[in-house]
Amino acid sequence: MIARIGRWFNLKVKNATYALGFFNNVIKETVLFVKQKQVGLKVLIMQIYFTGVEALSMISLIALALGVVIIIQGLSLLPSFGQGKLIYDILIIIITRELGPLLTAFIIIARSGTAIATEIGNMVVDHEIEAYTAVGINPISYLVVPRFLGVTISLVLLTFYFNFFGLFTSFLISQLITSVAFTEYFQNLLQALQLSDIISSLLKSFVFGVIISIVSAYNGFKVRFATTEIPQVVIKAVGQSFVLCIIADAIIATIFYILK
Amino acid sequence: METLIELKDVNVLSGDFPILMNISVKIPAAQSTIIMGPSGCGKSTLLKILAGISIPDSGKVFIEGKDYYSLSEKETLLFKKKNGFVFQDSALWANKNVFENLSLPLRFHYPELSQGQIEQKVKKALKFINLIDSIYLRPAQLSIGERKMVSFVRAIIAEPSIVFMDEPILSIDNEMKGKLLGMVKKLRENNCTIIGVIHDSIITSMIADNLIILKSGIILAQGPFHEILNSKNDEIKNILDEVVKKPSSYDTDILDLMNE
């Protein structure tokens, strides 16, 4: 029993050390990638296209739906307590500070996180990673860094877009229920919006981008021999990304609460 | 005779199962060394360790007398620039077309080459192997034999001085085989070091200077080709007979064979 616990603990320590080494390698290669003009530049552009541009329609739909829910629930409840103006604070808290970054991250986990883990897993099985190594191309530098940068940059931009689109469409939806002037609506929103909300939103999206890209790539590289391992690592990548993003969200929210 | 690559007491494990045990070999420069042995005896693993693609669990790898794992990034890159690797299962990059597969090693190692020069080089190579019409096809759209030829061309397109080959003529038709043999012969004429896992008696008799006989992860014999070929050891004789099937054709000049 004790021996089994010892083996389990050893394995966990080994995996954690390997994961930290992987993270360290990605950061080191990212610095070099930015410094030098790399052949991986095209991969970076493609990653921003797949993660950022192709996710726009889905992000728009979800931001719109969230705006609809907040406006309908808020405007049907708050005025009865004489707290109609609170709707602006609620919009900022839910869309900008909390759900904007988190929902965008969830969409990116489902779309790009799974794609990265699957693609890299397949490359391992088909010996494509070995082929890069044989040529002298560092797979971390050529495959992981562009995905890391692409996902992180896209996530920050998509969160910004989610916030803007969610707040703007919530105005359009509010026009169906009540008649608030455009300028009054946005003046109230800007009054409710603090600089810390914007910083918190962008910081969260940046951290989520780092988590999703590295966790997905790391799990992709954990495939060893067979394609049957790929769905297993994809499930792990999705689960770990969800959990780590929510933990990071809670930590950042707590830090901002303490600093306030 | 200058030693290009040397392995000292190399061991490779898969879990608890030994793949290679206490392997010590010396690969001479500007000669051809062929690795032979029954299926699953660790030939491909040995080849990948010699090429610096796989890392052994223990033991040392020396390139031109220097510890491979202590080389600087620049020195490693220089070694990779000098070598090409033909994979048993082609290992072409699935998300790139034939042109991109062949141009990447050139773009990576020779950034000074213009797009026009790269195109010219790639097209010339593809014309030679009759695959110019497939230049913009993805590997999945090619036959296994065609993929193998593209993989061979990818390994030699940057004119390396060391070529590693893992079963280069497996699954290719006779016409392609003739062309490939011509290319291998040219490599030898240019004093290229060839290290290969080859089970074809024709290509072996054409290029082999040295043989390494492997069985169950252990080296049974290594040395000059004709010395091993005339070995009185029954185990070695059996392996040569079983693995290659055509021992009678070893001493036949390939040009005679091709002219027949």
Side-chain angles (χ1 to χ4, degrees), chain B residues 2 13 73-74 78 95 124 142 205 207-208 215 237 249 254 257:
Chain B
E2 190 194 339
L13 300 168
E73 213 163 299
K74 206 174 169 185
L78 197 68
N95 60 353
K124 190 180 165 193
L142 303 177
S205 64
I207 62 167
K215 191 186 177 188
K237 277 205 287 195
S249 61
I254 186 60
L257 271 172

Side-chain angles (χ1 to χ4, degrees), chain A residues 67-233:
Chain A
V68 169
V69 171
I70 297 169
I71 287 294
I72 287 177
Q73 299 294 355
L75 289 184
S76 60
L77 186 70
L78 294 172
S80 58
F81 298 113
Q83 298 291 338
K85 282 221 161 186
L86 265 184
I87 189 71
Y88 301 106
D89 292 289
I90 292 173
L91 277 169
I92 294 296
I93 290 169
I94 295 182
I95 294 183
T96 309
R97 213 191 292 170
E98 283 307 327
L99 288 187
L102 208 55
L103 284 179
T104 310
F106 288 174
I107 294 166
I108 299 306
I109 291 170
R111 291 187 81 256
S112 305
T114 51
I116 290 170
T118 308
E119 192 183 11
I120 292 181
N122 270 313
M123 282 180 164
V124 174
V125 174
D126 294 338
H127 303 288
E128 289 181 41
I129 303 290
E130 286 182 342
Y132 282 118
T133 312
V135 172
I137 296 174
N138 182 340
I140 300 283
S141 166
Y142 187 72
L143 298 173
V144 182
V145 172
R147 282 162 179 80
F148 166 66
L149 289 174
V151 168
T152 308
I153 292 169
S154 300
L155 198 48
V156 171
L157 295 176
L158 283 175
T159 303
F160 189 76
Y161 173 80
F162 187 106
N163 293 342
F164 178 78
F165 195 80
L167 294 174
F168 180 73
T169 51
S170 63
F171 163 74
L172 298 179
I173 301 302
S174 70
Q175 295 303 297
L176 300 172
I177 302 169
T178 177
S179 56
V180 187
F182 181 79
T183 47
E184 187 192 338
Y185 183 88
F186 277 95
Q187 259 174 5
N188 288 333
L189 266 184
L190 287 175
Q191 269 176 8
L193 185 69
Q194 309 278 313
L195 182 64
S196 62
D197 295 324
I198 299 170
I199 296 171
S200 150
S201 182
L202 294 181
L203 178 66
K204 280 179 184 177
S205 57
F206 174 78
V207 173
F208 296 164
V210 172
I211 290 171
I212 295 167
S213 52
I214 292 189
V215 166
S216 306
Y218 171 75
N219 277 287
F221 277 108
K222 282 187 100 178
V223 171
R224 294 196 66 198
F225 309 111
T227 48
T228 47
E229 295 169 52
I230 296 169
Q232 294 168 10
V233 299

Side-chain angles (χ1 to χ4, degrees), chain A residues 28-29 32 39 42-43 119 123 125-128 130-138 142 147 224-225, chain B residues 14 48 52-54 73 77 80 83 85 87 89 91-96 100 104-105 107-109 154:
Chain A
K28 196 184 91 188
E29 289 299 329
L32 292 173
V39 283
K42 194 181 163 193
V43 186
E119 192 183 11
M123 282 180 164
V125 174
D126 294 338
H127 303 288
E128 289 181 41
E130 286 182 342
Y132 282 118
T133 312
V135 172
I137 296 174
N138 182 340
Y142 187 72
R147 282 162 179 80
R224 294 196 66 198
F225 309 111
Chain B
S14 174
K48 284 175 184 173
I53 296 175
S54 294
E73 213 163 299
L77 210 57
K80 297 286 185 184
N83 76 51
F85 198 107
F87 287 83
D89 54 2
L92 294 175
W93 299 303
N95 60 353
K96 298 186 191 306
E100 289 165 335
L104 185 60
R107 284 201 295 128
F108 183 72
H109 287 302
R154 181 178 66 181

Side-chain angles (χ1 to χ4, degrees), chain B residues 47-70:
Chain B
L47 193 69
K48 284 175 184 173
I49 288 172
L50 289 167
I53 296 175
S54 294
I55 302 168
D57 290 290
S58 64
K60 294 263 183 191
V61 180
F62 297 95
I63 308 287
E64 290 168 339
K66 290 181 188 168
D67 185 351
Y68 181 71
Y69 302 109
S70 306

